[in-house]
Amino acid sequence: MLKIDHVFANAGEKEILKGLSLEVKPGEVHAIMGPNGAGKSTLGNLLAGMPYVEPQGGSVEYMGQDLLSLEPEERAAVGVFLAFQYPVEIPGVNNMYFLRTALNAQRKYRGEEPMDSAQFLRMVKQKIKDMNMRDDLLKRPVNVGFSGGEKKRNEVFQMGVLEPKLAILDETDSGLDIDALKIVADGVNQLRSPDRSFIIITHYQRLLDYIEPDFVHVLADGKIVKSGDKNLALELEEQGYGWLNN
Amino acid sequence: MKPEVASIQVEITMNEDSLEEKAEENKVVKDRAKQTYKEGFSTDIEAFTIPPGLDEDTIRLISSKKDEPQWLLDYRLDAFRKWQSMDTPEWAKLNIPEIDFQAISYYSSPNATNENAPKSLDEVDPKLIETYDKLGVPLHERERLAGVAVDVVFDSVSVGTTFKAELKKVGVIFSSFSEAVQDHPELVQKYLGTVVPAGDNYFAALNAAVFSDGSFVYIPKGVRCPMELSTYFRINAINTGQFERTLIIAEDGAYVSYLEGCTAPMRDENQLHAAVVELVAKDDAKIKYSTVQNWYPGDEDGKGGIYNFVTKRGNCLGKNSKISWTQVETGSAITWKYPSCILRGDNSSGEFYSVALTNNHQQADTGTKMIHLGKNTKSTVISKGISVGKSQNAYRGLVRVAKKADHARNFTQCDSLLIGKACAAHTFPYTESANMTAKLEHEATTSKISEDQLNYCLQRGITEEDAISLIVDGFCKEVFKELPMEFAVEAKALLDISLEGAIG
Amino acid sequence: MVGLITDWLERVNKQTKDSISNMPSWLQAKRQAALVQMQMLNEPTRRLESWRYADLGRLLKAPSAFDSTNYGQQLNVIEGSDPVVIVVDEAGYMGMGDCPDWLEIRSLVDMHAEDWYDATFDQETVVNLANSLLLQTGGLIRIKATDKPVHIQLVYAFDELDEWRYVRNQFDLEAGANVSITEQHQSGRINAVNVYDLDSRVQLNRVQDIHLNSAEQFVSMNYFEVSKGVNVTNMNHHIGGSLQHHVHWVNFNGEGSKYKSGSINKSFDNNQITDIVNVNHNHKNNQSDITHRSIAKDKSQIYNNAKAQVAIGADQSEIEQDLKNILLSSDARIYSKPELEVYADEVIAAHGSTIGALDDTALFYLQSRGVDIEQAREIMIKSFEQEAQIC
């Protein structure tokens, strides 16, 4: 599904990713861990096409296409979803309107019929129920006045509505209390399926107690320095990242 | 490290620490404050002063006294003619009494027998040295503040520059303006009036016509000035105006930090101060210019005090250049002053950090202009105004982004604090953008001193007066931290003195 | 800048004797006073603070001299119950249907001297003084208190498109009145003076909807005399126009009132819009809250100015000014100035002003959800405008 091959990328003036490779097959859940500044968020932003991140070399193949050549909205339409570390507030635009605009734009790109408002409302109401979230979320402006936890939940909810093929969660667990963490993890687990893959970027092992990864990778200084199964995350939790310096 | 400096650090740390310690410290400050305007003595020395009055002959006389080249006389005369055709600016939020320019003497030298500035400190009148001792200005090299080279301008003549030899070694020129005219005429001629043209504004034109002395600094390519340079200005003679002119040039990659302090004796009459400061920063050069302005503000009833009309402007000519203005303005009856930056070089940046405190009948209209011409230029403006008594305090600023200044960035924060029922605080920020990639942000607040903060302090046993001083210090912190250490301490003490009588 | 005063004075001579002789003598005296004042004032220039960023020369150039482009549909701002529509044109006020008993309409010539609001003009407001000098149409609209909120829609619909029309609308809202008033531009080149005399406990929901094509011009001076316990929301839509110049002048004359205004200014092509709000906190315990959102495209320009003056002793004043601006093209210009003049100490005043482009991060957020860049921009602009949509 996704093949990242020796990718180099700058964020601003700074070289962040230095020859990173990673392969993700359909249905797999990959956790990316690592110390601050290692390039974890840059990886997510690179895949989503954040203008701030400039690829310098290497390639990213996604479902047979050159992902890096696509516009950000085209990536979304082909199924790449990024749950932002810092979701953006859009005053005056309600969540529901926003989501319908996004969903129909994606459907249009894929040559599908737009969803009318009744269909959309029904679908969204069902989703919000399934995901144990409160439906006042829909009426409020996108992320405005949301607590940190609400913003993260909103990201997962959007993921549920947009049904991506590759979901990248950028530190979605940071700043969440245990209840919010469970809601977020439940949301992700509900969406797990044989043709949907996840890249979960996290600093702590905590989230992985609830979302069991197939692979765990350690990202340090722009490269993946170690890969393993879920036990690697536990090891990291015990030892920290200090050993990477040796 | 020198003990003086160490003790300064302790003082500043206390400021951040416990409130009790601060209260203790404030007792000391309060004792100082009782002296109110401590610089308000006058020095009784022989002086040569030309009679009041202003015409072309006055200008010729000043120029000949200083043995100036013809081009400089021409420059002065041209400025004078421009000035005659100009009107006093009326746009400021100031009540400026009519100034009788014919009643002012435009030149005063403290030593009648020697028309040129003394060549060494030994030649300086001992009474002068005594004056500086009282002011706490270090003139002798062996005395404290070993890192500061000082050029002292006393009325119209520069008295002596310390540390000259040491600076010479690295090629830094630091001298009085008059000396620079004699020793480096090519440099003066090349840059004089390039940042503030002779006809720029009413007071700048007047200065260009009659300026008497000031400082000149030249930092050659790639040199980081090894010490902080400092000038101390003092108006002493009665009925004289002070019109100093400062020119600082930093060549490619040069760095200099320059400090300026000002005082004047207490007199019932108003005295005029109209200075011009020009800064030029070339590629990668950095100039940091700090001012502590403590001219005599007049008495409690608004009698006397200095009229301070100053044009300060820096030209960030080169790419990656930077000019930073920091000012603490507590003195003067009237302050009219807008230290500005022209951000011409790509990636250049300008900064303006200001504390302006007005008390009694003082009036201040001060702020900055940031003119973005180059690409990726950045400016930061932090202004803190404190109004006490019956004073008027205005921030006036302009941020202009020209059409070609892609990705220009400005951030402005200006806050005003009101202490008392009869004072006033104003904010007049102009922002203009002609470039869609630029981003300008301005924020401002005006409020009285927080009751919550005051009550908290009182509950901890601090007197109201000390609490106000403490809160005001905190309010100004962002600016004080930009000042060199010695100045930060002086600024804080000055603020406390100026706050005297803020309550009741 | 030459010729505006000359032009106005010439117009005085050109006005037919008939149109003036109809006017009551007190009104003729007002015009005479304006004439005397006008003759003493100087030609307006860019040195005037309120005309600093506008081309006064355009006031002399007739709309037919400009290309005209339309900018979308006018907003239909009043929802719910049907408004009473008052059309103002060359002939004066024309009410549609029956006049309800809570409403009294008097045309200019039927106004009483004591109803006239004596506005003070000076050099700064010389363009608005021209209104008193050349006044042709308008009058008094008096509204009584009612059980339910009432709506009025005032529509400027002049036949002549090139000639300046000088209109005065004096709204007199009696104690406890609860009114929505929409002023809408349909056609005409208008110099208007609006007076809102708001008695105690008045609830006013006013909309100024000036949606012009690229040739049209509109100058307005709007006085709000606010007594105690009054609540005003004032929503301004200023779209397009070769020149729009609006000054809102608010006087708090009592305590416990609130003035909240929102402006959405949008300019295109060569448009110039000036939007000035000046609030005078003359008394204690009043609140003003000014929000502007401006978007300039093409070669157009917008000037925003919010000014609050707090008088000595006007304690417990609360002031907020929030001016945000977006430039959408490399030739557009924005000027923004929030101002505070504070002479009292028990005051909470804050203001902010920003100029920039659309936020890249937010655009990317939308793109990453599948929205294309053009649509993302539209959504962001809508979101930006929404912040000034106060009612």
Side-chain angles (χ1 to χ4, degrees):
Chain A
M1 169 175 272
L2 180 74
K3 198 170 177 216
I4 304 173
D5 192 14
H6 269 85
V7 146
F8 289 78
N10 289 1
E13 310 262 289
K14 235 169 127 184
E15 190 183 9
I16 305 285
L17 298 183
K18 304 166 184 170
L20 182 142
S21 299
L22 177 69
E23 192 169 352
V24 179
K25 295 202 170 72
E28 289 177 353
V29 176
H30 291 246
I32 309 274
M33 302 183 70
N36 288 326
K40 300 192 300 289
S41 289
T42 304
L43 173 62
N45 290 333
L46 173 79
L47 296 177
M50 177 83 110
Y52 183 70
V53 178
E54 286 173 34
Q56 301 293 320
S59 66
V60 179
E61 192 193 304
Y62 168 78
M63 298 179 72
Q65 303 176 70
D66 174 10
L67 186 69
L68 300 182
S69 70
L70 298 179
E71 291 298 312
E73 64 268 31
E74 292 173 329
R75 300 185 198 196
V78 296
V80 177
F81 178 93
L82 174 69
F84 282 53
Q85 186 181 2
Y86 305 107
V88 177
E89 297 183 10
I90 311 176
V93 174
N94 85 44
N95 226 354
M96 191 127 97
Y97 171 80
F98 168 76
L99 267 174
R100 201 174 134 220
T101 308
L103 182 70
N104 281 337
Q106 294 193 19
R107 290 173 74 101
K108 191 178 165 195
Y109 182 88
R110 297 192 292 255
E112 298 163 14
E113 285 295 303
M115 217 182 241
D116 68 35
S117 48
Q119 271 177 310
F120 180 76
L121 190 66
R122 234 175 293 126
M123 184 269 282
V124 159
K125 292 252 174 188
Q126 189 58 46
K127 292 265 180 195
I128 207 150
K129 217 170 117 194
D130 292 348
M131 300 179 91
N132 289 317
M133 294 185 198
R134 286 174 29 194
D135 59 4
D136 67 335
L137 196 74
L138 295 171
K139 293 183 195 116
R140 291 160 63 183
V142 181
N143 293 327
V144 177
F146 284 30
S147 70
E150 282 177 318
K151 283 182 182 171
K152 296 297 174 70
R153 258 181 280 171
N154 191 24
E155 291 293 286
V156 174
F157 170 65
Q158 289 184 16
M159 179 168 77
V161 171
L162 298 172
E163 298 183 322
K165 295 203 171 63
L166 173 66
I168 305 148
L169 280 68
D170 187 2
E171 304 216 7
T172 302
D173 53 333
S174 65
L176 294 188
D177 63 30
I178 197 74
D179 292 333
L181 190 71
K182 275 185 189 158
I183 292 175
V184 165
D186 277 356
V188 172
N189 287 330
Q190 281 180 35
L191 288 166
R192 283 183 81 158
S193 82
D195 56 358
R196 181 173 294 135
S197 314
F198 289 85
I199 295 176
I200 295 171
I201 294 166
T202 179
H203 193 69
Y204 304 102
Q205 187 267 339
R206 198 172 63 145
L207 181 65
L208 306 180
D209 287 343
Y210 301 96
I211 306 172
E212 196 176 308
D214 301 308
F215 300 95
V216 174
H217 309 277
V218 180
L219 181 54
D221 194 26
K223 278 194 286 253
I224 287 183
V225 293
K226 196 166 183 179
S227 297
D229 61 10
K230 61 180 178 181
N231 292 320
L232 178 58
L234 294 168
E235 257 172 65
L236 286 170
E237 186 76 0
E238 271 169 34
Q239 298 175 6
Y241 296 110
W243 57 272
L244 290 170
N245 297 331
N246 303 327
Chain B
M1 182 152 286
K2 297 169 292 297
E4 286 86 2
V5 176
S7 73
I8 286 159
Q9 281 174 327
V10 170
E11 204 169 340
I12 283 179
T13 321
M14 281 204 295
N15 188 14
E16 287 176 336
D17 276 342
S18 79
L19 300 176
E20 281 84 349
E21 273 178 65
K22 173 67 193 180
E24 192 55 43
E25 184 201 338
N26 260 308
K27 268 191 200 129
V28 182
V29 174
K30 220 177 122 190
D31 289 341
R32 270 189 85 178
K34 287 204 180 102
Q35 308 160 19
T36 51
Y37 192 73
K38 78 176 173 97
E39 284 82 5
F41 54 85
S42 72
T43 308
D44 184 21
I45 51 169
E46 229 181 310
F48 168 79
T49 304
I50 63 171
L54 179 59
D55 56 22
E56 293 202 2
D57 288 340
T58 319
I59 289 161
R60 286 178 212 281
L61 181 61
I62 295 169
S63 193
S64 75
K65 281 270 168 212
K66 304 174 81 66
D67 199 18
E68 287 177 352
Q70 184 64 36
W71 63 263
L72 191 49
L73 176 61
D74 292 343
Y75 179 82
R76 287 174 179 276
L77 289 171
D78 172 57
F80 180 67
R81 285 162 201 151
K82 285 190 168 112
W83 177 73
Q84 281 179 309
S85 71
M86 296 168 93
D87 295 321
T88 35
E90 281 170 357
W91 41 261
K93 193 88 194 155
L94 297 171
N95 180 14
I96 306 171
E98 202 170 319
I99 299 165
D100 182 358
F101 290 97
Q102 299 304 330
I104 296 168
S105 167
Y106 289 86
Y107 187 78
S108 171
S109 147
N111 189 341
T113 51
N114 183 355
E115 292 186 357
N116 290 318
K119 290 284 179 279
S120 78
L121 292 174
D122 303 337
E123 289 177 36
V124 172
D125 187 327
K127 276 190 184 162
L128 251 180
I129 304 281
E130 214 176 289
T131 304
Y132 293 128
D133 284 346
K134 281 193 225 170
L135 286 169
V137 178
L139 200 63
H140 287 292
E141 296 187 9
R142 276 157 293 148
E143 289 187 342
R144 65 191 189 87
L145 294 170
V148 184
V150 183
D151 180 32
V152 184
V153 175
F154 191 97
D155 286 342
S156 306
V157 173
S158 181
V159 189
T161 306
T162 52
F163 286 103
K164 215 173 254 184
E166 201 171 324
L167 291 169
K168 211 170 185 173
K169 264 189 254 165
V170 289
V172 170
I173 303 167
F174 178 39
S175 72
S176 75
F177 202 91
S178 310
E179 277 179 88
V181 169
Q182 302 304 328
D183 300 344
H184 308 282
E186 72 296 340
L187 283 175
V188 176
Q189 192 174 8
K190 185 172 173 191
Y191 293 104
L192 179 68
T194 59
V195 189
V196 179
D200 187 79
N201 68 69
Y202 189 77
F203 296 105
L206 177 64
N207 176 286
V210 303
F211 71 86
S212 34
D213 215 330
S215 295
F216 177 83
V217 177
Y218 178 83
I219 316 288
K221 193 169 169 176
V223 171
R224 191 185 164 87
C225 188
M227 60 191 72
E228 293 188 322
L229 305 182
S230 169
T231 300
Y232 217 90
F233 295 107
R234 180 171 168 78
I235 300 177
N236 194 55
I238 198 160
N239 286 336
T240 50
Q242 178 151 322
F243 305 93
E244 86 266 359
R245 183 115 199 162
T246 297
L247 179 54
I248 300 178
I249 298 134
E251 292 284 2
D252 291 357
Y255 169 84
V256 63
S257 167
Y258 182 90
L259 326 171
E260 164 192 84
C262 329
T263 55
M266 290 156 76
R267 295 192 189 281
D268 286 347
E269 304 80 18
N270 296 105
Q271 284 178 285
L272 178 64
H273 173 250
V276 171
V277 175
E278 297 179 281
L279 312 182
V280 178
K282 301 210 180 158
D283 289 358
D284 304 298
K286 288 184 175 53
I287 301 175
K288 187 174 169 62
Y289 194 108
S290 313
T291 304
V292 172
Q293 187 263 108
N294 184 31
W295 298 117
Y296 179 52
D299 69 8
E300 280 166 30
D301 302 318
K303 197 166 186 204
I306 300 286
Y307 295 162
N308 189 32
F309 300 98
V310 176
T311 305
K312 290 183 168 176
R313 196 175 301 155
N315 190 356
C316 282
L317 196 60
K319 58 181 199 311
N320 306 316
S321 58
K322 180 174 178 180
I323 288 177
S324 177
W325 298 99
T326 306
Q327 62 173 21
V328 175
E329 304 276 319
T330 61
S332 297
I334 297 177
T335 299
W336 181 98
K337 184 182 171 192
Y338 316 92
S340 303
C341 296
I342 299 165
L343 303 168
R344 194 176 294 278
D346 290 348
N347 306 318
S348 62
S349 59
E351 293 174 345
F352 174 74
Y353 297 96
S354 169
V355 166
L357 186 145
T358 52
N359 198 349
N360 297 319
H361 290 266
Q362 279 178 277
Q363 306 177 62
D365 192 295
T366 184
T368 185
K369 286 192 278 189
M370 292 290 174
I371 310 295
H372 293 255
L373 302 175
K375 295 186 185 3
N376 301 312
T377 46
K378 257 195 292 200
S379 63
T380 305
V381 176
I382 309 285
S383 163
K384 305 282 176 179
I386 303 133
S387 314
V388 192
K390 297 184 168 110
S391 67
Q392 299 267 339
N393 198 330
Y395 168 83
R396 185 181 302 277
L398 168 67
V399 178
R400 175 178 290 156
V401 176
K403 196 167 159 45
K404 290 186 175 156
D406 289 347
H407 307 292
R409 186 82 177 82
N410 159 262
F411 178 75
T412 299
Q413 169 87 48
C414 54
D415 297 317
S416 303
L417 201 58
L418 292 144
I419 305 175
K421 289 276 170 205
C423 57
H426 315 303
T427 317
F428 307 113
Y430 292 77
T431 49
E432 308 179 356
S433 177
N435 187 299
M436 68 178 291
T437 62
K439 202 168 167 190
L440 291 77
E441 275 177 273
H442 170 97
E443 284 172 15
T445 60
T446 301
S447 62
K448 72 173 222 167
I449 205 154
S450 151
E451 300 275 354
D452 292 347
Q453 290 174 350
L454 265 182
N455 291 337
Y456 185 76
C457 293
L458 294 176
Q459 204 283 320
R460 292 288 183 273
I462 301 167
T463 66
E464 189 172 357
E465 198 168 323
D466 289 344
I468 287 176
S469 145
L470 181 102
I471 293 165
V472 170
D473 282 345
F475 179 73
C476 299
K477 187 155 215 136
E478 274 172 279
V479 175
F480 285 168
K481 74 176 174 30
E482 295 297 322
L483 284 170
M485 191 83 76
E486 301 85 332
F487 261 36
V489 173
E490 190 184 339
K492 209 163 81 63
L494 267 179
L495 219 60
D496 287 338
I497 292 165
S498 308
L499 278 169
E500 188 70 340
I503 46 167
Chain C
M1 184 51 44
V2 277
L4 273 167
I5 289 190
T6 320
D7 181 63
W8 290 320
L9 295 177
E10 272 170 17
R11 282 165 196 274
V12 174
N13 295 328
K14 270 191 238 160
Q15 279 186 338
T16 58
K17 286 256 163 12
D18 287 356
S19 68
I20 295 163
S21 60
N22 277 343
M23 290 184 178
S25 56
W26 65 265
L27 188 53
Q28 292 195 31
K30 298 289 178 197
R31 288 169 57 107
Q32 187 58 35
L35 179 66
V36 171
Q37 193 187 1
M38 182 66 83
Q39 282 163 337
M40 290 187 326
L41 292 176
N42 297 319
E43 185 62 28
T45 67
R46 284 192 181 215
R47 290 196 162 198
L48 302 180
E49 208 48 42
S50 70
W51 290 93
R52 192 181 166 95
Y53 302 109
D55 177 9
L56 280 151
R58 294 190 179 191
L59 295 175
L60 284 171
K61 229 167 139 187
S64 56
F66 296 89
D67 290 337
S68 85
T69 313
N70 286 317
Y71 308 117
Q73 285 297 304
Q74 191 139 25
L75 295 159
N76 211 347
V77 270
I78 291 189
E79 289 169 12
S81 65
D82 288 335
V84 172
V85 178
I86 302 169
V87 173
V88 52
D89 62 13
E90 277 88 351
Y93 286 151
M94 188 172 62
M96 304 286 197
D98 297 332
C99 184
D101 54 5
W102 49 264
L103 180 66
E104 181 192 340
I105 302 176
R106 275 174 194 279
S107 68
L108 208 52
V109 291
D110 296 329
M111 267 176 82
H112 301 303
E114 64 270 21
D115 288 332
W116 178 263
Y117 173 87
D118 255 322
T120 325
F121 298 102
D122 56 14
Q123 185 66 55
E124 186 68 38
T125 47
V126 58
V127 179
N128 310 103
L129 173 66
N131 178 282
S132 295
L133 180 68
L134 293 154
L135 193 56
Q136 294 156 313
T137 182
L140 177 75
I141 297 170
R142 184 170 282 145
I143 299 154
K144 296 184 179 65
T146 48
D147 299 338
K148 280 190 291 181
V150 293
H151 299 266
I152 289 179
Q153 188 167 6
L154 184 87
V155 182
Y156 299 97
F158 289 86
D159 298 330
E160 175 58 60
L161 300 181
D162 270 356
E163 274 300 305
W164 278 105
R165 296 300 173 201
Y166 299 88
V167 186
R168 171 180 282 231
N169 302 302
Q170 250 183 253
F171 296 92
D172 183 355
L173 273 60
E174 295 188 350
N178 185 347
V179 199
S180 290
I181 299 174
T182 301
E183 284 171 49
Q184 215 162 30
H185 175 268
Q186 204 82 71
S187 60
R189 187 188 195 194
I190 292 152
N191 179 326
V193 169
N194 293 306
V195 179
Y196 286 85
D197 195 346
L198 311 176
D199 219 331
S200 57
R201 294 175 289 108
V202 158
Q203 302 278 321
L204 170 64
N205 184 358
R206 188 253 195 169
V207 176
Q208 188 182 43
D209 183 11
I210 310 299
H211 196 124
L212 306 180
N213 69 31
S214 60
E216 290 171 317
Q217 300 177 338
F218 199 109
V219 172
S220 83
M221 178 79 203
N222 305 275
Y223 295 96
F224 290 81
E225 296 293 341
V226 181
S227 77
K228 61 177 192 283
V230 173
N231 194 354
V232 182
T233 58
N234 187 10
M235 182 67 225
N236 301 288
H237 298 270
H238 303 137
I239 320 289
S242 95
L243 191 122
Q244 289 208 40
H245 190 279
H246 306 282
V247 179
H248 285 82
W249 189 273
V250 182
N251 282 320
F252 283 119
N253 303 317
E255 296 180 18
S257 292
K258 187 176 176 189
Y259 180 88
K260 184 172 173 149
S261 89
S263 280
I264 297 173
N265 299 311
K266 295 173 85 169
S267 64
F268 310 84
D269 298 325
N270 254 313
N271 300 169
Q272 294 190 354
I273 300 175
T274 295
D275 186 349
I276 298 170
V277 183
N278 198 335
V279 184
N280 298 297
H281 287 255
N282 302 316
H283 290 269
K284 281 184 185 176
N285 190 26
N286 291 300
Q287 215 180 322
S288 64
D289 182 349
I290 313 298
T291 307
H292 286 209
R293 291 293 178 269
S294 299
I295 302 156
K297 222 177 162 174
D298 305 322
K299 292 184 167 173
S300 65
Q301 62 176 55
I302 299 176
Y303 171 40
N304 284 294
N305 175 209
K307 182 169 189 167
Q309 301 196 57
V310 183
I312 295 171
D315 290 335
Q316 280 85 45
S317 291
E318 283 184 32
I319 296 144
E320 199 166 331
Q321 301 167 339
D322 170 13
L323 312 181
K324 292 203 172 104
N325 303 279
I326 286 180
L327 281 164
L328 284 183
S329 95
S330 57
D331 292 317
R333 281 158 199 267
I334 291 272
Y335 310 97
S336 184
K337 180 161 69 125
E339 288 178 274
L340 296 168
E341 252 188 85
V342 181
Y343 298 88
D345 71 335
E346 304 259 350
V347 166
I348 299 171
H351 70 211
S353 157
T354 63
I355 308 177
L358 291 173
D359 180 20
D360 282 343
T361 318
L363 283 175
F364 172 67
Y365 187 71
L366 285 156
Q367 279 180 286
S368 77
R369 295 293 178 261
V371 179
D372 72 56
I373 187 77
E374 275 313 309
Q375 201 180 1
R377 283 202 184 101
E378 272 168 42
I379 290 175
M380 288 310 299
I381 289 170
K382 201 167 165 184
S383 156
F384 179 74
E385 286 174 17
Q386 206 70 35
E387 296 171 358
Q389 189 71 51
I390 53 161
C391 57

